[in-house]
Amino acid sequence: MSIDRVAIFDTTLRDGEQSPGASMNAEEKLEIARQLVRLGVDVIEAGFPISSPGDFESVRRIGAEVGDAAVVCALSRAIAKDIEVAADALATAKRPRIHTGIGVSESHLRDKLRISGDEAIERAVAAVKLARSFVGDVEFYAEDAGRAEPAFLYRMIEAAIAAGATVVNIPDTTGYAYPEAFGALIGGLKEHVKGIENAVISVHCHNDLGMATANALAGVKAGARQIECTVNGIGERAGNTALEEVAMALHQRPDIFGVTTGIHTREITRTSRLVSSITGIRVQPNKAIVGANAFAHSSGIHQDGVLKERSTYEIIDPVEVGLGGSSIVLTARSGRHALKHRLEELGYNLPDEEFERVHVAFLDLADKKKEVFDEDLEALVGESERTVNEVYHLAQVHFTSGEPGIPTATVELVTQEGEHLIDSSHGTGPVDAVYKAINRIVDVENDLTEFRVEAVTRGIDALGEVTIRVKSADGRIFTGRGAHSDIIVASAKAYTNALNRLLVSQIPAAHEEI
Ligand code: KIV
Ligand code: ZN
């Protein structure tokens, strides 16, 4: 059997961001994009530039950052202005791709677009041609292909390829398909579409019936050579095909699929944790590959079997997905060189200024806790990257609490202009007191909708990570995170982080065209 390569198209930053509450700012998207490069994805769909100035900016910055390490893709509808703005945003990319398309199911044509099939084909052809006038790599999506009339879908795809599409995406937009039928739909392209050999077939499956991974793999069996997916399977409604699931299925079962990918599987766990930490969307414990229990054996019979021979109950070696491979533990005496070396081993080549910030935070943490684990370092790097573009920086927080006693907090925030602002408040508990003190300074309407504390590492001295969500006056959700060995300090950082994101979103956009 010949070994073919399947391209991994990551849409965590576009479709994944459509998960409720998962909106990310440009810094956070850049942080994820850097990790996607380390993971080895082929294509990063960086955003939908016409949709907001923030998306435009993210595509632009990711294009500049990624260089030729991956194709950078921008989404557009089959509308001239969308395509022009996408091309504009991609100007910084070395390997740009425009992803454009239109609905193809009867329901989309009749109820959403209110146009005939012929008109849809005309629009698709014009969109692909316009996109090709800007870039050489154009992907065409046939929205809701999973519910479309196959004969019409094939006609549309043939026209898109003739107009210049280099990749044709067959999305099961509503998660309606099942593997046998979806595989047959993909196989039919090869049989019925003239010119199909000139384009890569891509699959983009949603998980409404829990079959996104199975459908995408059925597509590969039938000849698709690109899979669109997201880290942890996040995305619109029930989400998308999970990147880690398809990557590991193709990796573990060459006997079935006979294909390879460019994914460095040992980066999977770190990527999953980063996306979960930035979006605030937790991974369910029993989630395949990246769930906390994915490699946990609970019953005595299973434990006995695994202790005798791992493969009795484990089809994947956890080290292969980046779990438990390291025995390096840093301490306060480890020094700068050891810290830098360990960070590089973890894949972080930090610029000097960034390294200095992490070093200071490391010394502070190592002072409080005897041993600093890899997970602690990852949290510190994440925190450090998130301090960029702060409207308010948390300089200090002091609190008292007890029983009896009145929980009281004093905070000092520093503005970008260097102004030091101090205020105090009491509250029902120390976190409440801290939040009220911060509110007295920041004074922006918001509603705290979620508050979560997790231990990043083991032990009583573990670094605590607080994730919170706040709702702005206009109903938008902003996630904030903070990590510290004191969970009240972590809470103060998380709240300041969320308010910063809310405030940044209110700064008028510099980009006038959108
Ligand atoms: O699900 C879908 O159809 C999409 C397209 C925009 C590719 O996300
Ligand atoms: Zn989608």
Side-chain angles (χ1 to χ4, degrees):
M1 188 188 291
S2 73
I3 303 286
D4 274 351
R5 168 86 189 258
V6 170
I8 298 295
F9 175 117
D10 181 274
T11 182
T12 305
L13 302 177
R14 198 279 297 169
D15 212 320
E17 204 203 16
Q18 290 172 217
S19 309
S23 73
M24 299 169 243
N25 63 31
E27 292 301 332
E28 293 167 329
K29 287 186 178 177
L30 263 179
E31 197 179 338
I32 291 179
R34 284 188 205 111
Q35 180 56 28
L36 290 173
V37 168
R38 288 181 205 118
L39 179 64
V41 306
D42 299 276
V43 186
I44 297 174
E45 187 164 48
F48 180 14
I50 191 90
S51 69
S52 73
D55 256 41
F56 181 92
E57 184 63 8
S58 301
V59 173
R60 211 184 53 74
R61 290 182 64 182
I62 290 170
E65 173 83 21
V66 163
D68 55 13
V71 170
V72 175
C73 179
L75 185 76
S76 67
R77 294 163 295 182
I79 294 175
K81 185 71 182 162
D82 277 35
I83 296 165
E84 285 156 13
V85 172
D88 199 8
L90 285 169
T92 53
K94 277 226 166 88
R95 296 168 63 198
R97 176 183 293 178
I98 295 180
H99 191 187
T100 189
I102 197 163
V104 290
S105 65
E106 208 185 305
S107 135
H108 276 232
L109 292 173
R110 187 191 57 226
D111 303 326
K112 188 179 104 170
L113 299 164
R114 302 194 174 139
I115 56 176
S116 69
D118 285 344
E119 269 178 280
I121 290 178
E122 250 172 60
R123 282 196 200 177
V125 166
V128 171
K129 284 188 174 160
L130 179 62
R132 275 301 298 259
S133 73
F134 294 114
V135 293
D137 187 3
V138 172
E139 174 167 339
F140 173 75
Y141 66 84
E143 195 179 5
D144 204 16
R147 289 191 298 172
E149 184 58 50
F152 178 68
L153 171 69
Y154 297 151
R155 198 151 71 83
M156 174 71 95
I157 294 297
E158 192 166 303
I161 293 173
T166 47
V167 181
V168 288
N169 177 14
I170 312 300
D172 181 26
T173 305
T174 54
Y176 179 74
Y178 63 98
E180 204 183 348
F182 194 66
L185 189 70
I186 299 299
L189 287 166
K190 297 201 146 185
E191 219 175 296
H192 301 288
V193 174
K194 218 180 324 139
I196 191 70
E197 66 284 359
N198 301 323
V200 173
I201 302 173
S202 183
V203 286
H204 175 116
C205 300
H206 279 268
N207 205 30
D208 299 65
L209 291 172
M211 288 191 276
T213 295
N215 285 337
L217 293 173
V220 169
K221 285 284 289 175
R225 285 297 173 265
Q226 177 177 283
I227 300 178
E228 307 198 1
C229 45
T230 59
V231 176
N232 300 335
I234 63 172
E236 191 75 43
R237 306 183 310 281
N240 291 62
T241 299
L243 184 152
E244 61 279 4
E245 292 178 12
V246 283
M248 287 314 290
L250 298 179
H251 179 78
Q252 291 300 114
R253 301 304 307 267
D255 54 325
I256 301 294
F257 300 104
V259 295
T260 59
T261 70
I263 294 297
H264 306 300
T265 62
R266 292 181 188 216
E267 292 292 330
I268 284 178
T269 299
R270 186 178 318 139
T271 315
S272 163
R273 286 188 186 145
L274 179 70
V275 169
S276 173
S277 153
I278 285 183
T279 58
I281 299 177
R282 300 176 83 156
V283 174
Q284 75 191 63
N286 58 323
K287 164 85 181 57
I289 317 295
V290 292
N293 297 344
F295 297 95
H297 303 275
S298 152
S299 95
I301 295 172
H302 286 216
Q303 287 176 349
D304 178 57
V306 168
L307 286 173
K308 285 177 178 147
E309 166 53 45
R310 189 189 56 75
S311 63
T312 49
Y313 285 101
E314 237 174 45
I315 60 158
I316 301 169
D317 183 342
V319 172
E320 282 292 297
V321 298
L323 274 172
S326 157
S327 56
I328 303 281
V329 179
L330 298 180
T331 68
R333 288 182 302 283
S334 296
R336 294 168 63 87
H337 181 72
L339 173 65
K340 195 163 192 119
H341 182 71
R342 187 64 200 140
L343 286 169
E344 279 168 9
E345 279 182 345
L346 290 171
Y348 298 113
N349 287 301
L350 304 179
D352 287 350
E353 198 190 329
E354 187 92 15
F355 174 75
E356 289 312 323
R357 261 204 300 258
V358 173
H359 185 228
V360 170
F362 164 76
L363 289 177
D364 186 43
L365 182 65
D367 240 14
K368 299 191 175 96
K369 148 185 223 273
K370 280 197 220 64
E371 297 172 320
V372 179
F373 298 98
D374 290 350
E375 295 90 330
D376 294 319
L377 293 180
E378 282 164 7
L380 292 183
V381 173
E383 268 247 315
S384 166
E385 293 191 42
R386 285 193 283 271
T387 56
V388 183
N389 286 343
E390 284 182 316
V391 179
Y392 291 98
H393 175 71
L394 180 73
Q396 52 172 325
V397 49
H398 179 81
F399 45 86
T400 55
S401 159
E403 183 59 52
I406 300 171
T408 311
T410 302
V411 296
E412 178 182 358
L413 302 183
V414 185
T415 66
Q416 280 172 331
E417 294 74 35
E419 196 183 352
H420 290 245
L421 305 164
I422 300 177
D423 217 322
S424 308
S425 181
H426 62 267
T428 53
V431 174
D432 185 49
V434 166
Y435 283 17
K436 283 185 172 142
I438 292 174
N439 279 339
R440 287 173 67 90
I441 298 174
V442 176
D443 194 24
V444 59
E445 193 180 332
N446 75 89
D447 194 12
L448 184 67
T449 58
E450 195 179 325
F451 177 86
R452 200 167 75 225
V453 189
E454 276 160 307
V456 173
T457 44
R458 307 138 253 191
I460 194 74
D461 58 357
L463 196 62
E465 185 166 57
V466 172
T467 305
I468 65 158
R469 288 181 183 210
V470 298
K471 197 194 254 185
S472 61
D474 61 1
R476 285 184 300 157
I477 304 283
F478 296 88
T479 303
R481 282 165 304 279
H484 197 272
S485 53
D486 185 315
I487 58 165
I488 310 298
V489 178
S491 305
K493 288 179 163 199
Y495 192 48
T496 313
N497 179 233
L499 295 185
N500 274 324
R501 299 185 62 201
L502 192 161
L503 292 168
V504 167
S505 80
Q506 293 177 343
I507 296 171
H511 192 268
E512 304 290 347
E513 289 167 66
I514 300 173

